[in-house]
Amino acid sequence: MEKFIFIAFLDVMLASLSMFQPISCSSNFTNQVALLHFRSTIEIDPTNTIKGGNWTTEAKFCEWIGVVCNNRKQRVTALDLSHMDLQGRLSPYLGNLSFLASLDLRNNNFYGAILIEIGRLRRLKKLVLDVNQFEGNIPPHLARCQNLKVMSLAMNRLTGSIPREFSAFPKLQQLDLSSNDLRGQIPSFLSNISTLQVITLANATLTGSIPLALFNKSLTSVILMRNDLSGSLPSDLCYRWRNIQILALPLNQFSGLLPETLTQCKELLTLSLAGNRFQGSIPRDIDSLQKLQNSILVVPT
């Protein structure tokens, strides 16, 4: 009899403990618990929006500030807590918001590693963690977010290389890893992302040349300023990047002649090539670019 009572007691204890572990099921209760755990890991909330606002069980979590739910199932689909100066670590319970499509935490002071649990958010389309204090390597697990279209991790303290797993993104359109200490070269496997349109790797301590494979992509924006990149630009640049709108390569070590075909980049809005080692002269018909809005910052030597 005592053995039976002990086993029953153990079962109750295990059931109770499981309530406090990150789980994968989707329910209104799971969403609320995940958000409450997220709130508990916030250490500083200058505006008292989260710690002292309406993030309580007295209000429906779909009405909490920064939380967006779908109407039918009342699941969290977006979490936007940008520009709040929040400080703390991220809670792994974020991985339980299985309907989350957008996570925007830019302009805060979150620190620590980027959670591998974010890779469980299979519906995630937008991940924006700009201007925080995240550190360590970029988790390869993020590549499991197969619906991701926008990923921006700029202005953090991330180190290491871009994970090779990122080559398998089937829908990624915009990638911004600027102002991190990535080092190394721009990986050629980024060209495997067939949907990629915007690549921003400014001020990321990168070296080497632009991989030739990237010139075969239909990119609209290439921003690589303030690195230590070198090499020359292909003479048929504008035939390769027919849809290029923003080409910003200043403050690098690029050399060689400026492509005369720059005048064929008919969609160009911004062209910035200053602070390199280009030779020759600016193409004579550069004024024919009717959509060009910003100044031509080219200083050939």
Side-chain angles (χ1 to χ4, degrees):
M1 182 68 178
E2 292 179 354
K3 181 178 180 181
F4 175 78
I5 294 175
F6 173 77
I7 293 175
F9 173 77
L10 183 61
D11 287 341
V12 171
M13 289 296 295
L14 290 174
S16 299
L17 288 173
S18 67
M19 294 178 62
F20 297 92
Q21 298 296 322
I23 53 179
S24 300
C25 63
S26 296
S27 68
N28 290 358
F29 177 73
T30 301
N31 277 220
Q32 184 184 58
V33 169
L35 292 173
L36 289 174
H37 273 277
F38 177 83
R39 185 189 69 174
S40 69
T41 58
I42 294 177
E43 301 164 0
I44 298 177
D45 179 8
T47 62
N48 216 27
T49 302
I50 307 302
K51 303 289 282 187
N54 67 339
W55 277 50
T56 67
T57 54
E58 297 176 0
K60 295 180 180 179
F61 66 84
C62 288
E63 298 174 355
W64 292 356
I65 294 172
V67 177
V68 177
C69 295
N70 62 4
N71 294 326
R72 187 167 63 90
K73 293 188 176 182
Q74 293 294 288
R75 305 289 195 270
V76 178
T77 58
L79 185 60
D80 184 353
L81 301 176
S82 58
H83 305 278
M84 290 187 177
D85 288 327
L86 301 172
Q87 180 175 312
R89 292 179 179 270
L90 297 186
S91 166
Y93 280 77
L94 279 175
N96 289 346
L97 299 174
S98 58
F99 277 74
L100 196 66
S102 177
L103 177 60
D104 189 345
L105 301 177
R106 79 185 85 179
N107 285 90
N108 285 291
N109 291 293
F110 289 108
Y111 63 91
I114 295 177
L115 298 175
I116 62 174
E117 285 82 1
I118 292 177
R120 287 165 40 188
L121 301 174
R122 303 303 171 86
R123 291 179 171 88
L124 195 65
K125 296 180 181 179
K126 180 180 178 181
L127 175 63
V128 181
L129 304 179
D130 295 7
V131 196
N132 279 283
Q133 305 295 324
F134 291 113
E135 58 188 6
N137 293 331
I138 302 172
H141 296 74
L142 295 180
R144 297 179 181 177
C145 301
Q146 293 284 283
N147 285 298
L148 204 61
K149 294 183 178 180
V150 176
M151 178 164 62
S152 186
L153 310 178
M155 299 185 70
N156 281 284
R157 298 177 178 177
L158 301 173
T159 56
S161 57
I162 301 173
R164 179 171 292 276
E165 287 81 357
F166 281 16
S167 64
F169 276 120
K171 299 179 181 180
L172 191 66
Q173 298 175 3
Q174 300 179 31
L175 176 65
D176 188 351
L177 303 176
S178 298
S179 296
N180 286 292
D181 193 15
L182 301 183
R183 301 186 181 275
Q185 300 185 353
I186 300 174
S188 59
F189 59 71
L190 291 180
S191 64
N192 295 336
I193 308 175
S194 61
T195 53
L196 192 62
Q197 298 176 14
V198 176
I199 180 168
T200 307
L201 299 172
N203 194 32
T205 60
L206 296 171
T207 58
S209 57
I210 300 176
L212 289 176
L214 273 182
F215 288 110
N216 296 326
K217 301 294 300 175
S218 182
L219 298 172
T220 60
S221 179
V222 177
I223 303 175
L224 304 175
M225 65 182 66
R226 291 186 180 275
N227 285 289
D228 197 25
L229 298 171
S230 57
S232 58
L233 302 180
S235 58
D236 57 349
L237 174 70
C238 293
Y239 295 107
R240 293 171 178 264
W241 287 345
R242 294 179 179 274
N243 300 315
I244 195 73
Q245 297 177 9
I246 299 175
L247 179 59
L249 310 178
L251 302 174
N252 280 285
Q253 302 295 323
F254 290 112
S255 59
L257 297 174
L258 289 174
E260 293 186 4
T261 57
L262 280 176
T263 57
Q264 300 302 313
C265 293
K266 301 298 185 182
E267 302 300 318
L268 262 181
L269 302 173
T270 298
L271 175 63
S272 181
L273 303 177
N276 285 286
R277 298 178 178 179
F278 289 115
Q279 299 173 339
S281 59
I282 299 173
R284 288 175 294 179
D285 299 331
I286 201 72
D287 291 339
S288 65
L289 297 176
Q290 298 179 356
K291 295 185 179 181
L292 198 62
Q293 298 175 358
N294 295 341
S295 302
I296 309 298
L297 301 177
V298 181
V299 185
T301 58

